[in-house]
Amino acid sequence: MLIVLTGIDGSGKTTAARALVESARAEGRDALLLSNHAGRRQLSLLAERFSFPLPPRVADFIETGVRLFTVLVNHARARRTDGLVVMDRHLHCQLALRESKGLEHGRLLPWLLRMLPTPDLAVHFDVDPRRAHQRVMARGIDKESLAELQAFRDAYRALPGFADFVVVDANGTPEEVRAQLNRLIAATEPVPFAHAGNEGRITSS
């Protein structure tokens, strides 16, 4: 089973992805977590260190190259896995970033999304940008502004393929979000084969 998780920074998708895979492995099931990052954090740190902010198009060119390579490699790995595969981020994330910066979507990314295997479950973690900003500031790693997070959230919702995602409310605690995720998995598979933690666990009878 292939699950793809998307959402703005601070939505909790990475935390949920890790919990889902760890829980499945604890139950003795095969599970693989694949992160489709684009190197945004590293680029931001380098730009800050050298006081040289990258132009949006240059940053997008680099991020797209990294994301494309990662996604293609991870799909190859996913095809060799029989169990649960959870992808943290995907090409939709790069399209949303482009949308938020006023850049064209282009043809390559939408074409690849049509060509790549369709996930069994595509979940978008929707969160109030103010809540997401609090979480980002608390972890002290990223420096996303509230305006950037709001624009990113709006950009996701404007994507042509957004209707294909199942949206979960990511404003609550990690336990509440995992409970929603468990219910979605249970509705997708006749017999749930993995749980994102004990909270909200659904078992077969």
Side-chain angles (χ1 to χ4, degrees):
M1 182 180 190
L2 173 61
I3 300 176
V4 169
L5 306 181
T6 67
I8 67 174
D9 295 343
S11 61
K13 59 188 177 298
T14 300
T15 300
R18 290 171 178 166
L20 180 57
V21 169
E22 289 172 0
S23 181
R25 289 173 177 171
E27 295 176 356
R29 308 177 191 277
D30 292 332
L32 181 64
L33 173 59
L34 301 173
S35 298
N36 293 318
H37 294 279
R40 289 178 61 215
R41 182 178 301 165
Q42 290 80 358
L43 283 178
S44 297
L45 291 174
L46 285 173
E48 181 179 351
R49 178 179 179 182
F50 295 103
S51 301
F52 184 73
L54 291 174
R57 291 187 181 278
V58 175
D60 173 73
F61 178 81
I62 298 173
E63 292 167 4
T64 298
V66 174
R67 182 102 64 186
L68 276 173
F69 176 79
T70 305
V71 166
L72 293 176
V73 169
N74 282 340
H75 269 284
R77 294 179 64 189
R79 283 196 292 269
R80 298 195 297 268
T81 304
D82 294 328
L84 171 68
V85 177
V86 181
M87 287 194 176
D88 177 10
R89 299 174 176 83
H90 207 279
L91 295 180
H92 313 81
C93 304
Q94 200 62 38
L95 288 174
L97 282 171
R98 288 182 174 179
E99 179 78 20
S100 69
K101 297 175 181 177
L103 301 176
E104 301 84 359
H105 288 188
R107 296 182 179 181
L108 178 59
L109 297 186
W111 178 79
L112 276 174
L113 280 172
R114 293 193 299 269
M115 294 298 103
L116 290 171
T118 302
D120 299 288
L121 183 61
V123 182
H124 182 75
F125 282 46
D126 188 46
V127 62
D128 187 321
R130 292 168 295 183
R131 177 67 59 84
H133 188 254
Q134 291 173 353
R135 294 172 179 173
V136 170
M137 293 298 100
R139 67 192 184 197
I141 300 176
D142 303 315
K143 293 186 177 180
E144 299 284 349
S145 69
L146 178 57
E148 288 172 329
L149 292 172
Q150 180 65 63
F152 201 11
R153 181 176 187 257
D154 294 342
Y156 266 117
R157 290 170 167 268
L159 292 180
F162 185 76
D164 297 330
F165 280 81
V166 179
V167 179
V168 301
D169 181 359
N171 290 291
T173 65
E175 292 75 20
E176 292 170 338
V177 175
R178 289 199 295 266
Q180 294 182 69
L181 193 54
N182 284 335
R183 287 192 289 270
L184 289 176
I185 293 172
T188 303
E189 285 289 325
V191 179
F193 64 90
H195 306 278
N198 293 326
E199 298 79 5
R201 173 170 293 191
I202 299 175
T203 57
S204 58
S205 57

